[in-house]
Amino acid sequence: MNRGLPYAGLAGAIFFAIAVVGFGLALPGYSQSAHPVAVLGAKGFPHAMAFNLLGFVLPGLLASVVMLELRLRLPAAAGWSLRIGAQLLLLSSLGFVALGLLPLDPADLHNASSSYHATAWMLWWVAFVPGAVLLAVGLRGQMVWRTVVRISAVTALLLLMLVLFAVDWLPAGTAQRVAFAVWWVWVGVAGFTPRARLTAKSHP
């Protein structure tokens, strides 16, 4: 395995953070706490394409490298929860990429373009939550992966709460950024998981 692969998640998180801060500073009137991240790449906004590429597509592809590498290390005898969980996690990262490929249209939040963006957003978190839970279930009992088990379960719960309920007690922009940060922490940890292949569980 390429020694640089574990750093893909960390690099993706850094690219995303720099893009959000940098393009946010360049957009007059933009509030990091109040406005969604997608506004920076919305149709009609200055430098929207550049942000979508540097803020969503590139970081999302780097996250996909982590997810795909994790999926490829599953043993032939891996259980269904591991396989489905890993596949959902890969879909989650592709949903993040799609956020940049399907930009929001602020002029009409109900047209096809905005609907596609909303679908990408749903794919990102709806795929991740069960994927992380299934991964944690499939890895339970494997001591070298105990950190991944714990952080997967905690991240799934936190992300679900942030997406569904945090907007009731946090500004929308802040809630979304915390959700993204939680996801990127998981991606970073997943990238530095043990390099040994998973061992298959024995069944009675």
Side-chain angles (χ1 to χ4, degrees), residues 9-152:
L10 178 60
I14 292 173
F15 276 120
F16 174 71
I18 291 175
V20 171
V21 173
F23 283 89
L25 290 173
L27 183 61
Y30 185 78
S31 170
Q32 294 287 358
S33 63
H35 296 135
V37 172
V39 170
L40 296 171
K43 291 184 176 181
F45 279 68
H47 314 299
M49 182 178 292
F51 173 78
N52 285 326
L53 291 175
L54 298 176
F56 283 132
V57 176
L58 178 57
L61 289 176
L62 289 170
S64 298
V65 169
V66 175
M67 308 293 193
L68 182 59
E69 196 274 334
L70 179 64
R71 178 174 174 268
L72 292 176
R73 283 189 289 127
L74 297 180
W80 68 269
S81 63
L82 269 178
R83 293 190 175 280
I84 295 177
Q87 188 68 33
L88 287 172
L89 292 171
L90 178 59
L91 286 175
S92 173
S93 65
L94 294 177
F96 194 91
V97 173
L99 289 171
L101 298 177
L102 304 169
L104 185 71
D105 184 356
D108 186 353
L109 297 179
H110 302 287
N111 65 10
S113 180
S114 294
S115 296
Y116 293 149
H117 184 83
T119 300
W121 164 259
M122 291 284 289
L123 177 61
W124 170 70
W125 74 266
V126 170
F128 178 80
V129 172
V133 171
L134 288 173
L135 190 74
V137 170
L139 290 173
R140 72 189 190 282
Q142 302 206 33
M143 294 303 294
V144 295
W145 292 82
R146 60 185 180 275
T147 300
V148 177
V149 170
R150 293 170 182 171
I151 197 171
S152 295

Side-chain angles (χ1 to χ4, degrees), residues 35-38 121 124 162 167 171-181:
H35 296 135
V37 172
W121 164 259
W124 170 70
L162 286 164
V167 291
T174 301
Q176 186 188 60
R177 282 160 177 76
V178 175
F180 280 140

